[in-house]
Amino acid sequence: MNTLDIFRRAGRSLKQAKARTILTSLAIGVGAFTITISLAGGQGGRDYADAIVNSNTDVRELLVTKENEDADTIPEFEPNGAGSARAAAGGGGGGGFTRGLQFISLDDVEKMADINNVTAVTPSFSPAVDYITTEGQKKYQATVSPFSPSVSLTFAAGSTNGNLENNQIILAENFATTLGFTNPADAIGKTVQIGATKQRTVFSGAVAQEFSYEVAAVSSESGLAFRSQGSLLLNETAISQLYTFVSEGTSGYNRFLAASVIVAEPDQAEVVKATLEEQGFTAQTSADVLGTVNTFINVLLGVLLGFGALAVITSIFGIVNTQYISVLERTQQIGLMKALGMSQADVGKLFTFEAAWIGFLGGTIGAGLAVIGGIIANPAISRALDLGDISLLIFSPLQVLAVIVGLVLISIVAGILPARKASKLDPIEALRTE
Amino acid sequence: MIQVNNITKTYGRKQNAFVAIDSISFTIPDATTVAILGKSGSGKSTLMHAMSGLDRPEVGEVIIDGSDILKLKPKAVDRFRATKMSFIFQSFFVQPNESCFDNVSMPLEIANVPRAQRKQKVEAALAAVELLDKKKSRARDLSGGQKQRLAIARAIVNEPEIIFADEPTGNLDSVTGGVVEDFLFNYVKERGATLIVVTHDEELASKCDGRIDIKDGKISSIKGLDKKGAKQ
């Protein structure tokens, strides 16, 4: 019998048992829905992470730290030694006691700068400033961060052209309003003061001083920024001046928790990373950062997919059951077809195709609802999670197709036993009527 | 020509063994109508199943057109049934949810007749049993007589050489039954086909050229046929 004819007969048989076909399909549809949504979420999550990492890091940039050779041993206290991470509390404003991490000294910075293809090494300055203010306003707590051209910012007003002068500052939008400017544009060109205190040392008491900067731009909140958000951005020279003022003379001066290394070409990042690691540093490229985030997303995705798979497994039993009942109900029809010369293989095919149709129907209904629902829900999700114009559910036609094809194949496998039962049916028994 | 040589079919095993047909032999020439008569349980249905290759007797030969269908591979037997023979049943076995057209089209699909030729053949068969106007009706909406006429259309659509009819009028009143018989005999006469009818009905049997009476799995009498090997 012609395969196309069998296929059409299979479709007709299902049409004759509409309610049963649809209910069985819906069971598999639940699985299709879950799997499609989780795949879309995974895709969206990865794209989102990708966008975050790309707009916050530069592919030419490596983040370098120095780990203890033996991270399990807590280092001994050395009052002025280069090995202790304890002294960080005073000058660096970093993390205080950081187990397992060693400081990066100026020697280390030079060593990094000597590596082939490295164009710049910037230690991570993070001076602890006291406040920010402007004329006629109160003093507000603040933190400053270095401006990095590789971090893409969205501006509410003003711009930087990728470059910030020594006396310029970028304000986060909430600072601009807090400091009494009527709107972000109003702040541009105005002067703000940052107050800092020189750390108390053995030789001198605390000295407070104010530094003035001109507002170059006001950054608005972005769904993609995770670094520097809500902080004030100064260029490297300005921030290192602040750092020197705050930390000079303390034990933590010129000892950094991390440094950023810029290489000449993006494809040299991995080579430089290897060299750095040979020298005892730990280096992370932007690809590594992305990898870490993606691992997390993949775990979440795996859990969701697991639920989808569970739904599919349940629906397999539904298909087996439906098809068994169908074989029982159609015993006479099967007997007749065999008496008319239909081969065992073709009878088996007929029932296999019916199972495939059910899988196709369920897969299409589930995946279709997932796509429609996702498209409708996407703006709401983005609004709820404050993602701006980023969509968290991204449907790729290929993935949706793969889900449907996969479910058709699974349905065919589920239909094997009932199809076998049908094909083995004895036509004489089947046609015996009392 | 159908040659049945010494076939025996046993159901069950050992103590429960039951001999349904016991060493039966006869020959039916081409273009003959034959009635097989017997009480229920006499083995007449088993004989029909064996002659059509649906059942496989453990002993004997059924030679149709020179080949022993009991020795053919299952696929070849299927092919044989799809192209050379067809069936009519007491309970019609039409597919109630399908249209008359699809019911009649089924044997053609099974025999791999190209789609282009099917329409014309199906319509000719429906016209032969005067059901062409019901082409698109679902079979469940037909009366009993119409259902059996539909079954006849299905049986003749592929122009078989042999038609097996198992109590074709058993579920019909005598008038409707008579109409159905006429359609059946007309086709057989026009085509020069062989008709084998299993029945209780003496009147139907009397319309046939030959007659085989079965009792307890054996031939009790045979008329109008070659008696070669028949046991009295």
Side-chain angles (χ1 to χ4, degrees):
Chain A
M1 194 167 168
N2 191 313
T3 303
L4 188 69
D5 288 328
I6 302 178
F7 199 68
R8 283 174 45 247
R9 283 215 170 249
R12 276 216 300 274
S13 300
L14 288 178
K15 247 191 245 163
Q16 284 159 17
K18 276 194 197 80
R20 196 168 63 197
T21 305
I22 288 173
L23 288 174
T24 315
S25 302
L26 282 183
I28 206 162
V30 172
F33 183 86
T34 318
I35 290 174
T36 311
I37 285 283
S38 26
L39 285 177
Q43 187 63 45
R46 270 193 296 268
D47 283 9
Y48 177 49
D50 212 20
I52 289 179
V53 172
N54 280 337
S55 59
N56 288 285
T57 59
D58 187 331
V59 284
R60 297 183 301 138
E61 187 181 2
L62 290 99
L63 185 71
V64 182
T65 53
K66 198 172 175 187
E67 270 177 37
N68 273 331
E69 271 101 72
D70 188 356
D72 289 335
T73 325
I74 298 168
E76 248 177 78
F77 174 70
E78 295 169 61
N80 222 5
S84 166
R86 255 189 91 114
F97 177 82
T98 315
R99 192 176 156 189
L101 271 189
Q102 271 186 311
F103 282 117
I104 292 169
S105 65
L106 286 179
D107 285 350
D108 290 330
V109 171
E110 268 169 43
K111 249 167 57 185
M112 289 178 212
D114 284 344
I115 297 172
N116 269 350
N117 300 323
V118 170
T119 56
V121 181
T122 317
S124 58
F125 300 110
S126 48
V129 299
D130 298 332
Y131 59 86
I132 181 168
T133 188
T134 186
E135 238 180 299
Q137 292 291 326
K138 290 178 188 159
K139 296 171 177 176
Y140 296 98
Q141 287 187 6
T143 53
V144 293
S145 307
F147 169 74
S148 160
S150 64
V151 178
S152 40
L153 290 169
T154 46
F155 294 115
S159 74
T160 59
N161 298 324
N163 201 15
L164 205 61
E165 300 294 326
N166 291 351
N167 64 341
Q168 286 186 319
I169 190 168
I170 297 174
L171 291 186
E173 203 172 354
N174 55 349
F175 273 101
T177 47
T178 309
L179 287 172
F181 298 111
T182 47
N183 57 47
D186 185 38
I188 306 300
K190 300 279 162 55
T191 307
V192 294
Q193 285 82 35
I194 285 179
T197 309
K198 197 169 184 63
Q199 298 293 318
R200 179 183 292 276
T201 64
V202 183
F203 308 108
S204 63
V207 182
Q209 192 180 328
E210 277 191 354
F211 297 81
S212 291
Y213 302 96
E214 185 197 321
V215 179
V218 176
S219 64
S220 57
E221 274 189 32
S222 156
L224 292 176
F226 66 33
R227 215 158 83 169
S228 315
Q229 187 155 27
S231 76
L232 309 161
L233 303 179
L234 296 171
N235 83 355
E236 271 168 28
T237 316
I239 208 160
S240 75
Q241 278 167 2
L242 262 181
Y243 175 79
T244 308
F245 171 75
V246 171
S247 309
E248 194 173 20
T250 64
S251 58
Y253 182 54
N254 277 348
R255 291 158 65 192
F256 309 98
L257 281 171
S260 108
V261 168
I262 307 286
V263 297
E265 297 295 332
D267 54 2
Q268 289 158 351
E270 286 301 319
V271 185
V272 171
K273 179 185 172 182
T275 317
L276 282 167
E277 287 183 343
E278 267 171 37
Q279 295 183 5
F281 299 105
T282 306
Q284 258 195 324
T285 62
S286 60
D288 294 336
V289 177
L290 188 61
T292 313
V293 179
N294 278 345
T295 308
F296 179 66
I297 291 171
N298 286 340
V299 169
L300 272 178
L301 173 68
V303 172
L304 265 174
L305 280 179
F307 283 121
L310 217 60
V312 170
I313 291 169
T314 316
S315 64
I316 285 177
F317 292 107
I319 291 176
V320 174
N321 186 36
T322 304
Q323 288 299 91
Y324 263 132
I325 293 173
S326 182
V327 171
L328 279 181
E329 267 184 5
R330 284 153 63 194
T331 302
Q332 276 186 5
Q333 189 197 359
I334 297 163
L336 177 76
M337 290 189 295
K338 288 185 131 185
L340 294 179
M342 194 160 167
S343 68
Q344 275 200 10
D346 286 347
V347 173
K349 257 192 220 166
L350 178 68
F351 281 85
T352 305
F353 286 160
E354 284 182 26
W357 264 117
I358 291 176
F360 175 77
L361 220 65
T364 311
I365 292 173
L369 284 180
V371 171
I372 294 168
I375 288 168
I376 293 170
N378 249 337
I381 295 172
S382 295
R383 224 176 306 124
L385 299 180
D386 221 356
L387 299 178
D389 52 359
I390 295 157
S391 301
L392 203 59
L393 296 172
I394 294 173
F395 298 96
S396 98
L398 212 66
Q399 269 179 354
V400 173
L401 193 75
V403 168
I404 295 174
V405 171
L407 288 179
V408 167
L409 292 180
I410 287 171
S411 306
I412 288 174
V413 172
I416 285 178
L417 283 178
R420 262 179 74 89
K421 189 182 165 77
S423 70
K424 295 268 189 255
L425 213 68
D426 178 4
I428 299 169
E429 282 298 320
L431 291 175
R432 187 159 289 163
T433 46
E434 296 300 328
Chain B
M1 189 171 77
I2 305 170
Q3 232 179 307
V4 174
N5 287 337
N6 203 30
I7 55 171
T8 298
K9 173 75 192 177
T10 313
Y11 288 112
R13 281 184 192 172
K14 289 175 186 170
Q15 299 99 321
N16 295 327
F18 165 71
V19 183
I21 44 176
D22 189 2
S23 317
I24 285 183
S25 303
F26 55 84
T27 301
I28 300 172
D30 281 342
T32 316
T33 54
V34 181
I36 300 176
L37 287 98
K39 289 179 180 161
S40 57
S42 61
K44 59 188 193 306
S45 290
T46 307
L47 178 59
M48 188 189 87
H49 293 147
M51 288 166 72
S52 59
L54 281 175
D55 209 344
R56 294 209 162 197
E58 50 270 36
V59 184
E61 307 177 294
V62 176
I63 298 168
I64 300 177
D65 290 348
S67 54
D68 182 357
I69 62 164
L70 301 182
K71 292 206 172 69
L72 291 174
K73 287 188 175 149
K75 270 203 167 167
V77 180
D78 287 336
R79 180 96 203 121
F80 211 92
R81 275 208 297 276
T83 53
K84 297 226 164 123
M85 52 177 79
S86 66
F87 295 87
I88 293 166
F89 302 94
Q90 181 174 7
S91 335
F92 324 138
F93 292 142
V94 294
Q95 300 307 303
N97 290 319
E98 295 200 345
S99 69
C100 291
F101 187 95
D102 286 334
N103 263 288
V104 178
S105 165
M106 184 147 77
L108 297 178
E109 289 175 33
I110 290 172
N112 253 331
V113 175
R115 222 182 135 101
Q117 297 173 26
R118 277 186 227 152
K119 187 171 186 288
Q120 180 255 324
K121 287 195 176 203
V122 170
E123 284 178 358
L126 283 171
V129 296
E130 290 169 14
L131 276 180
L132 192 53
D133 55 327
K134 301 274 183 189
K135 188 168 81 167
K136 286 179 178 158
S137 315
R138 286 205 287 185
R140 69 146 70 111
D141 298 331
L142 301 179
S143 70
Q146 287 172 324
K147 278 181 188 161
Q148 197 59 308
R149 272 150 63 193
L150 182 62
I152 290 172
R154 185 178 63 197
I156 65 176
V157 69
N158 213 13
E159 295 162 15
E161 290 161 21
I162 307 160
I163 296 177
F164 293 98
D166 190 354
E167 303 278 10
T169 54
N171 277 359
L172 303 173
D173 62 72
S174 56
V175 179
T176 333
V179 173
V180 166
E181 282 167 19
D182 288 345
F183 281 122
L184 202 51
F185 279 93
N186 277 347
Y187 170 81
V188 172
K189 291 245 159 62
E190 274 172 30
R191 297 282 316 168
T194 301
L195 174 69
I196 296 158
V197 190
V198 172
T199 187
H200 286 108
D201 184 351
E202 285 291 342
E203 206 187 315
L204 174 57
S206 66
K207 291 183 181 173
C208 296
D209 307 333
R211 164 180 184 136
I212 301 169
D213 284 278
I214 305 280
K215 195 180 178 189
D216 298 333
K218 292 180 178 164
I219 294 178
S220 59
S221 81
I222 190 162
K223 282 174 198 156
L225 292 170
D226 183 353
K227 297 185 190 181
K228 189 190 96 179
K231 290 185 180 174
Q232 293 304 315

Short mmCIF file of all heavy atoms in Angstrom, two decimals, chain A residues 317-345:
data_model
loop_
_atom_site.label_atom_id
_atom_site.label_comp_id
_atom_site.label_asym_id
_atom_site.label_seq_id
_atom_site.Cartn_x
_atom_site.Cartn_y
_atom_site.Cartn_z
N PHE A 317 2.68 7.46 27.98
CA PHE A 317 1.74 6.43 28.44
C PHE A 317 0.34 6.71 27.91
O PHE A 317 -0.40 5.80 27.59
CB PHE A 317 1.74 6.35 29.96
CG PHE A 317 3.04 5.83 30.51
CD1 PHE A 317 3.94 6.67 31.15
CD2 PHE A 317 3.39 4.50 30.35
CE1 PHE A 317 5.15 6.21 31.62
CE2 PHE A 317 4.60 4.02 30.82
CZ PHE A 317 5.48 4.88 31.46
N GLY A 318 0.02 8.01 27.81
CA GLY A 318 -1.26 8.39 27.24
C GLY A 318 -1.40 7.91 25.81
O GLY A 318 -2.44 7.36 25.43
N ILE A 319 -0.35 8.07 25.05
CA ILE A 319 -0.39 7.66 23.64
C ILE A 319 -0.51 6.14 23.54
O ILE A 319 -1.33 5.62 22.78
CB ILE A 319 0.87 8.16 22.89
CG1 ILE A 319 0.83 9.68 22.77
CG2 ILE A 319 0.95 7.52 21.51
CD1 ILE A 319 2.07 10.25 22.14
N VAL A 320 0.30 5.44 24.34
CA VAL A 320 0.25 3.98 24.30
C VAL A 320 -1.16 3.51 24.61
O VAL A 320 -1.75 2.69 23.89
CB VAL A 320 1.25 3.38 25.32
CG1 VAL A 320 1.10 1.88 25.38
CG2 VAL A 320 2.68 3.76 24.95
N ASN A 321 -1.74 4.10 25.66
CA ASN A 321 -3.09 3.72 26.09
C ASN A 321 -4.11 4.00 24.99
O ASN A 321 -4.91 3.13 24.62
CB ASN A 321 -3.43 4.50 27.36
CG ASN A 321 -4.74 4.07 27.95
OD1 ASN A 321 -5.08 2.90 27.90
ND2 ASN A 321 -5.50 5.02 28.46
N THR A 322 -4.08 5.22 24.45
CA THR A 322 -5.03 5.60 23.40
C THR A 322 -4.93 4.66 22.21
O THR A 322 -5.95 4.20 21.67
CB THR A 322 -4.72 7.03 22.92
OG1 THR A 322 -4.76 7.89 24.03
CG2 THR A 322 -5.71 7.47 21.89
N GLN A 323 -3.71 4.37 21.81
CA GLN A 323 -3.53 3.54 20.63
C GLN A 323 -3.97 2.10 20.88
O GLN A 323 -4.51 1.46 20.00
CB GLN A 323 -2.07 3.59 20.16
CG GLN A 323 -1.70 4.92 19.54
CD GLN A 323 -2.53 5.22 18.32
OE1 GLN A 323 -3.58 5.85 18.42
NE2 GLN A 323 -2.11 4.75 17.16
N TYR A 324 -3.75 1.60 22.11
CA TYR A 324 -4.23 0.25 22.43
C TYR A 324 -5.75 0.20 22.32
O TYR A 324 -6.32 -0.73 21.74
CB TYR A 324 -3.80 -0.15 23.85
CG TYR A 324 -2.55 -1.00 23.86
CD1 TYR A 324 -1.50 -0.70 24.73
CD2 TYR A 324 -2.41 -2.09 23.02
CE1 TYR A 324 -0.34 -1.46 24.74
CE2 TYR A 324 -1.26 -2.86 23.02
CZ TYR A 324 -0.23 -2.54 23.88
OH TYR A 324 0.90 -3.29 23.89
N ILE A 325 -6.41 1.22 22.89
CA ILE A 325 -7.87 1.25 22.82
C ILE A 325 -8.33 1.32 21.37
O ILE A 325 -9.26 0.64 20.95
CB ILE A 325 -8.42 2.45 23.63
CG1 ILE A 325 -8.14 2.24 25.11
CG2 ILE A 325 -9.91 2.64 23.38
CD1 ILE A 325 -8.48 3.42 25.98
N SER A 326 -7.62 2.13 20.60
CA SER A 326 -7.96 2.28 19.19
C SER A 326 -7.86 0.93 18.46
O SER A 326 -8.72 0.58 17.66
CB SER A 326 -7.03 3.31 18.56
OG SER A 326 -7.35 3.53 17.23
N VAL A 327 -6.80 0.17 18.75
CA VAL A 327 -6.64 -1.14 18.12
C VAL A 327 -7.81 -2.05 18.50
O VAL A 327 -8.39 -2.73 17.65
CB VAL A 327 -5.30 -1.78 18.52
CG1 VAL A 327 -5.23 -3.22 18.04
CG2 VAL A 327 -4.13 -0.98 17.95
N LEU A 328 -8.18 -2.01 19.80
CA LEU A 328 -9.28 -2.86 20.26
C LEU A 328 -10.58 -2.48 19.55
O LEU A 328 -11.32 -3.34 19.08
CB LEU A 328 -9.46 -2.70 21.77
CG LEU A 328 -8.52 -3.51 22.64
CD1 LEU A 328 -8.83 -3.26 24.11
CD2 LEU A 328 -8.67 -4.99 22.32
N GLU A 329 -10.83 -1.17 19.48
CA GLU A 329 -12.07 -0.70 18.86
C GLU A 329 -12.15 -1.04 17.39
O GLU A 329 -13.23 -1.22 16.84
CB GLU A 329 -12.15 0.83 18.99
CG GLU A 329 -12.89 1.30 20.20
CD GLU A 329 -13.00 2.81 20.21
OE1 GLU A 329 -12.58 3.46 19.24
OE2 GLU A 329 -13.52 3.32 21.21
N ARG A 330 -11.00 -1.06 16.76
CA ARG A 330 -11.00 -1.23 15.31
C ARG A 330 -10.57 -2.61 14.88
O ARG A 330 -10.07 -2.80 13.75
CB ARG A 330 -10.11 -0.15 14.69
CG ARG A 330 -10.82 1.20 14.69
CD ARG A 330 -9.87 2.33 14.73
NE ARG A 330 -9.01 2.33 13.55
CZ ARG A 330 -7.90 3.06 13.45
NH1 ARG A 330 -7.53 3.79 14.46
NH2 ARG A 330 -7.18 3.03 12.36
N THR A 331 -10.74 -3.58 15.78
CA THR A 331 -10.36 -4.95 15.47
C THR A 331 -10.94 -5.40 14.12
O THR A 331 -10.22 -5.94 13.28
CB THR A 331 -10.86 -5.89 16.58
OG1 THR A 331 -10.29 -5.44 17.80
CG2 THR A 331 -10.43 -7.31 16.33
N GLN A 332 -12.24 -5.14 13.92
CA GLN A 332 -12.87 -5.58 12.68
C GLN A 332 -12.26 -4.91 11.46
O GLN A 332 -12.02 -5.55 10.44
CB GLN A 332 -14.36 -5.24 12.71
CG GLN A 332 -15.18 -6.29 13.42
CD GLN A 332 -16.66 -6.01 13.30
OE1 GLN A 332 -17.08 -5.07 12.62
NE2 GLN A 332 -17.45 -6.82 13.98
N GLN A 333 -12.02 -3.60 11.61
CA GLN A 333 -11.44 -2.86 10.48
C GLN A 333 -10.07 -3.44 10.11
O GLN A 333 -9.76 -3.63 8.94
CB GLN A 333 -11.31 -1.38 10.85
CG GLN A 333 -10.93 -0.51 9.67
CD GLN A 333 -10.39 0.84 10.09
OE1 GLN A 333 -10.32 1.15 11.28
NE2 GLN A 333 -10.02 1.63 9.13
N ILE A 334 -9.28 -3.73 11.17
CA ILE A 334 -7.96 -4.28 10.91
C ILE A 334 -8.08 -5.63 10.22
O ILE A 334 -7.37 -5.93 9.25
CB ILE A 334 -7.16 -4.42 12.24
CG1 ILE A 334 -6.94 -3.04 12.86
CG2 ILE A 334 -5.83 -5.10 12.00
CD1 ILE A 334 -6.55 -3.09 14.32
N GLY A 335 -9.02 -6.47 10.74
CA GLY A 335 -9.24 -7.79 10.15
C GLY A 335 -9.63 -7.67 8.68
O GLY A 335 -9.10 -8.39 7.82
N LEU A 336 -10.54 -6.74 8.40
CA LEU A 336 -10.99 -6.55 7.02
C LEU A 336 -9.83 -6.13 6.12
O LEU A 336 -9.63 -6.69 5.04
CB LEU A 336 -12.08 -5.47 6.98
CG LEU A 336 -12.56 -5.13 5.58
CD1 LEU A 336 -13.48 -6.22 5.06
CD2 LEU A 336 -13.25 -3.79 5.54
N MET A 337 -9.04 -5.17 6.60
CA MET A 337 -7.93 -4.68 5.78
C MET A 337 -6.94 -5.81 5.48
O MET A 337 -6.41 -5.92 4.38
CB MET A 337 -7.22 -3.51 6.48
CG MET A 337 -8.08 -2.25 6.52
SD MET A 337 -7.22 -0.78 7.09
CE MET A 337 -6.83 -1.20 8.76
N LYS A 338 -6.74 -6.66 6.52
CA LYS A 338 -5.81 -7.77 6.29
C LYS A 338 -6.41 -8.78 5.32
O LYS A 338 -5.72 -9.32 4.45
CB LYS A 338 -5.47 -8.44 7.62
CG LYS A 338 -4.56 -7.59 8.47
CD LYS A 338 -4.16 -8.32 9.70
CE LYS A 338 -2.66 -8.23 9.89
NZ LYS A 338 -2.24 -9.03 11.04
N ALA A 339 -7.72 -9.03 5.45
CA ALA A 339 -8.37 -9.96 4.54
C ALA A 339 -8.29 -9.44 3.10
O ALA A 339 -8.15 -10.21 2.16
CB ALA A 339 -9.83 -10.16 4.94
N LEU A 340 -8.35 -8.12 2.96
CA LEU A 340 -8.28 -7.53 1.63
C LEU A 340 -6.84 -7.47 1.12
O LEU A 340 -6.58 -6.92 0.05
CB LEU A 340 -8.88 -6.13 1.62
CG LEU A 340 -10.39 -6.05 1.88
CD1 LEU A 340 -10.87 -4.62 1.86
CD2 LEU A 340 -11.16 -6.87 0.84
N GLY A 341 -5.92 -7.99 1.91
CA GLY A 341 -4.55 -8.12 1.41
C GLY A 341 -3.58 -7.07 1.91
O GLY A 341 -2.47 -6.95 1.38
N MET A 342 -3.98 -6.31 2.95
CA MET A 342 -3.04 -5.34 3.50
C MET A 342 -1.98 -6.11 4.28
O MET A 342 -2.29 -7.00 5.07
CB MET A 342 -3.78 -4.38 4.41
CG MET A 342 -2.98 -3.15 4.77
SD MET A 342 -4.11 -1.85 5.34
CE MET A 342 -2.99 -0.69 6.04
N SER A 343 -0.71 -5.74 4.05
CA SER A 343 0.36 -6.51 4.69
C SER A 343 0.51 -6.09 6.16
O SER A 343 0.06 -5.03 6.56
CB SER A 343 1.68 -6.27 3.95
OG SER A 343 2.08 -4.94 4.14
N GLN A 344 1.14 -6.98 6.93
CA GLN A 344 1.41 -6.70 8.35
C GLN A 344 2.14 -5.38 8.50
O GLN A 344 1.81 -4.56 9.35
CB GLN A 344 2.28 -7.81 8.93
CG GLN A 344 1.51 -9.00 9.41
CD GLN A 344 2.34 -9.82 10.39
OE1 GLN A 344 3.40 -9.41 10.84
NE2 GLN A 344 1.84 -11.00 10.72
N ALA A 345 3.14 -5.19 7.65
CA ALA A 345 3.97 -3.97 7.74
C ALA A 345 3.10 -2.73 7.55
O ALA A 345 3.25 -1.74 8.27
CB ALA A 345 5.08 -4.02 6.71
#
